[in-house]
Amino acid sequence: MSIIESGLGTDAASTTGPGPRPATLDGREVEVAAEPGQCLRTWLRDQGSYGVKKGCDGGDCGACTVIVDGEAVHSCVYPAHRAAGREIVTVQGLGTPEHPHPVQERFRKAAGFQCGFCTAGMVCTVAAMPERAEHDLDRTLKGNICRCTGYRSIDDAVHGVENIDDRAGGVGHATGAPAALGVVTGTARYTMDIDPDELPGALLYGAVVRSPHAHARVIRIDATRALAAPGVVRVLTADDAPRTLFSTAQHELVEDDPEDTRVFDDVVRFVGQRVSLVVAESQRAADRAARLVEVEYEVLPFNLDPELADHPATPVLHGDSNVVMQLHSEVGDLEAELAASAIVEERTFRTHRVSHTALETHGSIAWQDADGRYVVRSSTQVPFLVRRSLARVFGLPKEDVRVYAARVGGGFGGKQEMLTEDLALLATKATGRPVRIEFSRKEVLTATTVRHPFRMRVRMGATSDGVITGIAVDVRSDTGAYGNHGPGVMFHGVGESIAVYRAAAKKIDASVVYTNSIPSGAFRGYGLSQMIFAIESTVDELARGLGLDPLEMRTKNLIGPDDAMIAAHKELDLIIGSYGLDECVSIVREQLARTRELDAEALHGAIVRDRLARTREADAAGLASGWTIGEGAAVAMIATVPPRGHHSHVTIRLEPDGAFGLDVGTAEFGNGTSTVHQQIAATVLQTTTQRVRLRQADSDLVEHDTGAFGSTGTVVAGRATHAASTSLALTIRERAAAVFGAPVEACLLAGDRVMYGGESLTLRELAASGSIEASGYWGGSPRSVAFNVQGFRVAIDEGTGELRILRSIHAADAGVVVNPEQCRGQIEGGIAQAIGAALHEIVRLDESGRVISDILRQYHVPTFADVPRSEIFFAQTSDVLGPLGAKSMSESPFNPVAPALASAIRDATGIRLTATPFTRDRIHAAIIERDAGASTEQATPEADR
C-alpha cells in the first residue's frame, strides 16, 4: 500500500519569504537548523522522532528509513539541510497505537517483527512502495535488513496475511506480542530512545579512543589538544579507572570466565581495543576530540594464528600461557574400535568468525539518581549480572547500582557481555552527569565480539552396515585477545554435538587459545554450530562411503529416549525430557522426498526464464544442463539450559482493578519471552494475556535473574512464572474460599472472577480485601534437551559456483509449543542467520589483525532475496521439565544449517567442503579443482583468520 493511498499526501510544504523554509515533519512545521554535515537521521531524533533508528551509519540496513516527499529514503545518508521545504513522514507520523496506519496494522497482525528494531524502517519502505512493488519484494526490500525474522512474516505482512490470534489465548495460541503496537508505530522505546529532559542533568556523550596495533604497551597519553577542543569535558584513561580484573562475559558463576580484562589496560592486545574515553557535550564534539588524543605506544610482537599460540616463540598475552583451557577425555578404546572398523573417515574442518550484527548497536546511558544510586540503562541480555560486575569492578555495594534494559534491538549472545556499561558508569562517576555511550556500526564490527573460529580434526569409524564405532575430535578454538566465554564455548561445543550419537569409544582433545585478534564471545549455538558442522559432515561422508542413505545411517546411530548422553563425560543433571528426534528425522526425509520432482521442474523453469530474459536466441531445451541438484540434512541436539546454575525469580500480584501484575527479570530482544510469560500466567490463572501486565529486565523488580541467554527464557524464567502464577492462583482461591465459607477445591478461577457453585466474586472485589502476591523461582536444574533436523535441496551452477536453495525444511522438537507463530519465527530467524553464516558472512582480518569488513556493505547480512521460505514442522512431544511441557527453541535451529548445506553441495557436486563459508567463488574453485583431479579439502584463507 503506497503512502498516497493512506491519505497523507506528498506535496512539499510551500512557504514564502526569505531564509530556509521549514520542513513538515509528521504533520507539523519544524524549522530546519541542521549542523554542518548532519544527516537527517540525527536531526530527526533531535526533534523527538525516536522511531527513526540507528543501525549502520552507511545507508545499508534501512532501520532509519523515512518518507520524504512520498519516497522512502535512508535518513542516515540524507543530508539534514535538504529537509527544508519538504514533507517528512516517519513511522510515528504514519499512525499511532490508537489509530495505526494500515501497513502498521498488517505488520502487527502478521507478527512481522521479533526484536522490532528494523520494523520502523521496514514499515516506511512498505508504506511508500509504488504500485505492484509487492510482487518483487526481492528488489523492494533490498535496502532493509531484518536480522531476526527470516523475512517470511514480513512477506506475510506486506501481503495482508494474518498470523496472530487477537483473542489472546494462553499456551498453544498464536498470541500477539504485548509490545506489538508500540513496535509497529515506532513508539516502543529502545535503549537510546530517552528524552534528555528525563535525566537528572545535562546529558554528556562518550567516544572511545582505540588501539591501531594488535599488540602494544601504552607509554603515554597526551589529551591536551582534545581537552582544548570545544565541548570536551573530560578525557579518561587508565589513571582514572579501577584496575580490577574482570571478564566482559557474564555468567552466573564468575569462575566460568577468565578475568583478564580491565576498563583500560596499559597493554593492548588487538586492533580496536579501548585505550581512552573522551566525554563531551555532544556526540560530534566527542568524536572529533577523540581523534585529537595522542597515544604513544611501544609496539610488541603479535600472533594471529591459533595453531602457533602455544609455540615457545609466540608472545604470551595473559599469565604464563596462551592456552586458556583444555580438555582431554576418552571413553572406551578408540584405537581398537577404529582399527576394527570397515571404514574410517578423517578430515579437518574449519569455521570462521561471524558477527552477531544485531541492528541496535551496543550502548548504555548512566546517571546518578536522587538517592545517590547509579543507574545504567543498557542494551543488555543480562541486567542483573551486569549490575553485579559493575558493583565489583567499581567497589560499590550492589544495592547502590541499578541496571535495566528497555526493549533491546537484538542480541544473539553479543549482549551477554559488559562492553559499554563500565565506560558509562566510569564517565558518570568522573563528571557527576548522565553519560551516553553508543557504539557505531564500525565499532561493533571491529571491537566487540564475534563467533569463535574453530579448527576441528575428526576421526570417525563405522561397521560395514553403518554402525558408528568410534568418534575422535581434536579441536582448537580461537578466543582472540581475551578469554570471555572461551572455556564455556569450547566445553559446550564438544558436548551435545558428540553425545547425540552412540559409539563404543569417544575421544576428545580440545583447547581454547589466545591470539591478537578481535575477541570471540557468546554466539547463537555457543560452540555447537561449529562442532555440529564437523560431526554431521563426517557422518554424512561415512554414509556415502558405505553406500547408505545418510538419514538412515543417522537413525541407526542416534541416541534413543533411554540412552545416556556421553561426550567427554555424562552430565548428571542432563536428561531427555521429551524425545522427538526420530519424528523430526522422519518429517525431513518425507518432505524432501515429496518435493523432489516439483523442485526440479521449478528450477528448470526459473533458469529458462532467467536466461531467456538475457538472450532470446538461447536454446531453452538445454539451458539447465549446467545445473546439478543435491540434498542434504543434519541433526542437532542442545541442552535447554546452560550447566552450572541459571536462576530466575518472578513475582506476580493481583492488581486493584482485578488484573495481574507480573514482574520478571528476563530481557526482551526478539526472543519472545514477554509473550511466553504472559501466556503461561494467563493459562494458570484462567484469564487472557491482556489482563497480565508485564514489567521486566530491571534489577529493581525481582531478587535475581541470571539473564536471557542459553535459550532459558521459556524454560527457566517460564518455570519461575509458572510457579509464581500457580502460587497466586491458590492464594486467590483460598481468599475467596474464606469469603464464600467454602472448601478451597470447590472455588474456581474463571476470567475476572472466582466461582463457587452459582456464586461468584470478582477479582476486583477480592483485591479490595488486601494485598495478594506470590513469587516463583527455578534454578535451572535438572536440564532437558531440544532436537532439530534441517534438510535442504540446492542447485549448483557448475559453470559459476552459484548456489540456489530450492527447498528448506526444518523439524523441531520444542515440546509443547507455547506460541506456534512465535516459535516458528524463532526457527526461521535461526535458519536465516545460519544461512548467512554458512554462505555469505565473513569477519575478515588483514595481516596486521585489523578487521577490514568494517561496514555492512562489506559484510553480507542476508536480505529478503537471500533467504528461502522454510517449511517448519513440530514434533508432537511434551517435556517433563519445561513449563507446561515447553522447551526452548531460540538457539538450536541455527546449528544444523551449515552441515545440511554442505551435504547438499556434496550431493550435487561430489565435493565435501570442509571450511565455511561456502561462498560462490569457493564453490567454483572447488569444482575446478575437482575437475582437475586435485584435493578439495580446504585451507582457511589468510583473510579469514
Side-chain angles (χ1 to χ4, degrees):
M1 177 180 292
S2 73
I3 192 171
I4 299 174
E5 293 173 22
S6 76
L8 288 172
T10 60
D11 291 337
S14 58
T15 60
T16 59
R21 295 176 294 168
T24 301
L25 172 58
D26 292 338
R28 70 185 194 277
E29 285 197 351
V30 180
E31 295 296 330
V32 180
E35 297 286 335
Q38 186 176 21
C39 71
L40 181 60
R41 188 201 70 225
T42 58
W43 182 81
L44 288 169
R45 289 182 61 83
D46 287 346
Q47 312 310 310
S49 297
Y50 295 124
V52 183
K53 302 303 183 192
K54 168 188 173 177
C56 69
D57 299 308
D60 297 323
C61 77
C64 68
T65 303
V66 299
I67 303 164
V68 178
D69 290 347
E71 292 187 6
V73 303
H74 290 182
S75 61
C76 68
V77 291
Y78 190 99
H81 72 85
R82 289 181 56 192
R86 300 185 183 275
E87 182 177 38
I88 302 166
V89 180
T90 74
V91 67
Q92 292 162 266
L94 282 174
T96 65
E98 296 76 24
H99 302 287
H101 183 276
V103 170
Q104 294 169 327
E105 185 67 357
R106 285 187 182 186
F107 271 78
R108 184 189 72 82
K109 289 185 174 180
F113 64 90
Q114 284 179 26
C115 84
F117 200 78
C118 74
T119 306
M122 200 78 70
V123 164
C124 285
T125 297
V126 173
M129 68 185 184
E131 204 62 51
R132 301 187 62 79
E134 68 273 14
H135 300 302
D136 187 9
L137 292 182
D138 288 1
R139 182 179 299 275
T140 303
L141 297 180
K142 67 179 181 180
N144 291 81
I145 291 172
C146 176
R147 192 53 155 167
C148 298
T149 65
Y151 297 101
R152 185 270 313 165
S153 60
I154 292 171
D155 188 8
D156 286 352
V158 174
H159 291 98
V161 177
E162 297 185 9
N163 295 319
I164 68 164
D165 183 354
D166 277 331
R167 291 171 294 182
V171 169
H173 293 267
T175 303
L181 276 171
V183 168
V184 301
T185 59
T187 54
R189 293 292 183 98
Y190 293 79
T191 309
M192 297 301 160
D193 302 338
I194 186 169
D195 294 324
D197 56 12
E198 296 177 36
L199 299 170
L203 181 63
L204 295 171
Y205 300 78
V208 181
V209 178
R210 300 189 179 276
S211 168
H213 303 292
H215 197 196
R217 183 170 286 105
V218 178
I219 302 300
R220 181 180 63 89
I221 298 176
D222 185 351
T224 306
R225 293 174 61 213
L227 287 168
V232 174
V233 175
R234 289 289 300 270
V235 176
L236 302 171
T237 68
D239 293 337
D240 306 293
R243 304 293 292 170
T244 307
L245 284 167
F246 65 97
S247 174
T248 64
Q250 301 295 296
H251 281 110
E252 183 65 31
L253 297 179
V254 294
E255 308 90 74
D256 282 354
D257 306 294
E259 294 185 339
D260 53 14
T261 304
R262 291 188 173 95
V263 177
F264 294 117
D265 207 327
D266 298 326
V267 176
V268 292
R269 298 173 176 88
F270 73 99
V271 176
Q273 181 170 330
R274 53 166 81 165
V275 174
S276 175
L277 180 71
V278 176
V279 185
E281 300 285 354
S282 70
Q283 191 65 60
R284 171 176 292 211
D287 291 341
R288 287 179 170 178
R291 295 193 287 270
L292 301 176
V293 175
E294 298 175 8
V295 185
E296 181 183 345
Y297 298 93
E298 176 193 352
V299 179
L300 302 172
F302 66 92
N303 171 53
L304 302 177
D305 188 345
E307 301 297 344
L308 298 178
D310 47 1
H311 189 278
T314 300
V316 175
L317 300 191
H318 302 277
D320 57 6
S321 173
N322 284 327
V323 178
V324 183
M325 190 74 69
Q326 53 188 324
L327 169 66
H328 302 285
S329 172
E330 185 170 0
V331 177
D333 189 336
L334 177 80
E335 296 305 329
E337 292 293 339
L338 293 184
S341 299
I343 184 173
V344 176
E345 271 292 328
E346 182 172 357
R347 292 179 187 254
T348 299
F349 298 87
R350 293 178 173 86
T351 56
H352 63 293
R353 294 178 180 86
V354 181
S355 171
H356 308 80
T357 330
L359 283 194
E360 181 191 36
T361 63
H362 297 70
S364 301
I365 303 172
W367 65 89
Q368 200 166 14
D369 67 16
D371 297 323
R373 286 200 313 164
Y374 291 102
V375 181
V376 181
R377 174 184 171 112
S378 176
S379 180
T380 180
Q381 297 173 226
V382 285
F384 288 80
L385 299 188
V386 167
R387 176 185 66 165
R388 182 185 66 184
S389 292
L390 289 174
R392 189 171 68 85
V393 170
F394 287 91
L396 298 168
K398 191 171 68 172
E399 56 271 19
D400 286 355
V401 182
R402 174 193 173 201
V403 177
Y404 76 98
R407 191 171 182 89
V408 176
F412 316 113
K415 294 174 181 175
Q416 194 195 335
E417 310 270 354
M418 188 171 76
L419 298 174
T420 61
E421 296 89 348
D422 56 329
L423 294 176
L425 180 57
L426 174 70
T428 287
K429 285 175 63 65
T431 64
R433 289 169 58 179
V435 179
R436 180 175 110 166
I437 307 293
E438 182 181 17
F439 284 177
S440 67
R441 177 57 57 187
K442 180 173 182 176
E443 286 179 294
V444 170
L445 288 170
T446 62
T448 57
T449 61
V450 295
R451 185 177 71 161
H452 286 74
F454 272 39
R455 185 269 296 143
M456 301 153 284
R457 297 191 183 103
V458 181
R459 286 193 295 157
M460 192 180 299
T463 63
S464 58
D465 59 349
V467 175
I468 296 175
T469 56
I471 303 171
V473 296
D474 182 305
V475 180
R476 176 143 291 195
S477 170
D478 182 357
T479 192
Y482 291 89
N484 42 306
H485 295 282
V489 167
M490 183 265 287
F491 278 109
H492 192 233
V494 297
E496 293 98 285
S497 61
I498 297 169
V500 75
Y501 286 107
R502 296 188 301 268
K506 296 177 179 179
K507 184 178 181 182
I508 298 170
D509 294 291
S511 60
V512 56
V513 297
Y514 291 118
T515 62
N516 292 106
S517 54
I518 182 172
S520 304
F523 190 99
R524 197 174 201 164
Y526 211 71
L528 281 177
S529 69
Q530 298 95 313
M531 283 301 305
I532 288 172
F533 166 57
I535 296 294
E536 288 296 296
S537 294
T538 306
V539 173
D540 193 87
E541 202 62 36
L542 275 176
R544 295 179 191 278
L546 291 167
L548 301 176
D549 174 77
L551 277 175
E552 288 290 352
M553 182 167 172
R554 286 180 173 86
T555 301
K556 184 174 291 190
N557 291 282
L558 290 167
I559 58 170
D562 299 319
D563 289 331
M565 291 173 282
I566 299 173
H569 60 276
K570 182 178 179 181
E571 296 187 67
L572 296 179
D573 73 333
L574 193 61
I575 69 167
I576 299 176
S578 73
Y579 186 82
L581 182 53
D582 53 352
E583 185 180 350
C584 290
V585 170
S586 295
I587 288 170
V588 170
R589 180 191 293 111
E590 292 166 5
Q591 292 300 320
L592 283 173
R594 180 184 62 81
T595 56
R596 280 190 189 114
E597 291 186 10
L598 182 66
D599 287 343
E601 292 173 3
L603 172 66
H604 186 274
I607 294 168
V608 168
R609 289 191 301 273
D610 181 38
R611 296 195 180 174
L612 282 180
R614 286 183 255 165
T615 170
R616 293 294 177 183
E617 299 175 0
D619 177 11
L623 287 175
S625 60
W627 289 78
T628 57
I629 295 178
E631 292 177 8
V635 305
M637 178 175 76
I638 188 171
T640 56
V641 184
R644 297 163 60 80
H646 200 106
H647 305 274
S648 183
H649 294 260
V650 168
T651 61
I652 189 168
R653 63 199 162 275
L654 182 62
E655 302 278 18
D657 64 352
F660 300 96
L662 177 63
D663 293 343
V664 303
T666 51
E668 176 59 64
F669 51 95
N671 48 341
T673 54
S674 301
T675 318
V676 167
H677 285 304
Q678 283 189 320
Q679 288 185 266
I680 290 173
T683 298
V684 173
L685 294 164
Q686 295 295 296
T687 187
T688 64
T689 51
Q690 287 102 331
R691 295 178 59 80
V692 179
R693 298 169 184 152
L694 186 69
R695 298 188 302 175
Q696 63 190 130
D698 187 335
S699 63
D700 271 4
L701 289 179
V702 295
E703 181 178 335
H704 182 69
D705 190 282
T706 300
F709 63 89
S711 304
T712 55
T714 294
V715 178
V716 179
R719 275 198 60 160
T721 291
H722 185 269
S725 302
T726 300
S727 178
L728 183 67
L730 177 59
T731 303
I732 289 172
R733 291 169 56 226
E734 288 173 340
R735 186 77 62 89
V739 174
F740 289 131
V744 173
E745 57 270 17
C747 299
L748 303 175
L749 278 166
D752 65 347
R753 61 193 61 240
V754 183
M755 305 294 296
Y756 169 61
E759 300 180 68
S760 70
L761 180 68
T762 69
L763 295 179
R764 184 190 293 268
E765 293 169 333
L766 202 60
S769 67
S771 172
I772 304 179
E773 184 172 308
S775 61
Y777 164 78
W778 198 54
S781 183
R783 303 175 295 136
S784 185
V785 288
F787 300 104
N788 296 78
V789 180
Q790 174 70 46
F792 283 112
R793 182 174 295 111
V794 306
I796 306 288
D797 183 346
E798 295 217 344
T800 66
E802 179 184 350
L803 180 149
R804 295 188 186 184
I805 297 175
L806 306 180
R807 185 74 53 176
S808 171
I809 296 166
H810 193 102
D813 174 11
V816 172
V817 180
V818 176
N819 188 309
E821 174 58 27
Q822 186 170 277
C823 192
R824 177 187 175 194
Q826 285 289 306
I827 294 171
E828 291 168 332
I831 295 169
Q833 191 173 33
I835 286 173
L839 299 183
H840 309 299
E841 303 178 34
I842 315 175
V843 175
R844 297 183 185 273
L845 308 186
D846 66 13
E847 64 281 357
S848 71
R850 181 174 65 94
V851 174
I852 56 176
S853 51
D854 59 357
I855 58 174
L856 285 185
R857 69 189 59 186
Q858 296 171 340
Y859 184 84
H860 185 169
V861 175
T863 62
F864 188 95
D866 297 314
V867 180
R869 194 175 179 98
S870 295
E871 301 169 61
I872 311 299
F873 301 88
F874 294 108
Q876 300 302 303
T877 66
S878 180
D879 194 76
V880 298
L881 293 180
L884 301 173
K887 290 200 282 195
S888 56
M889 198 49 57
S890 57
E891 287 189 279
S892 54
F894 186 100
N895 295 330
V897 168
L901 280 169
S903 293
I905 294 168
R906 166 68 166 86
D907 194 42
T909 65
I911 299 168
R912 173 62 62 186
L913 296 179
T914 57
T916 59
F918 317 131
T919 58
R920 179 171 176 165
D921 57 339
R922 290 186 181 180
I923 294 172
H924 187 234
I927 290 170
I928 292 173
E929 290 178 5
R930 177 204 65 189
D931 293 345
S935 169
T936 58
E937 185 154 313
Q938 301 162 273
T940 303
E942 290 292 333
D944 297 354
R945 287 181 178 163

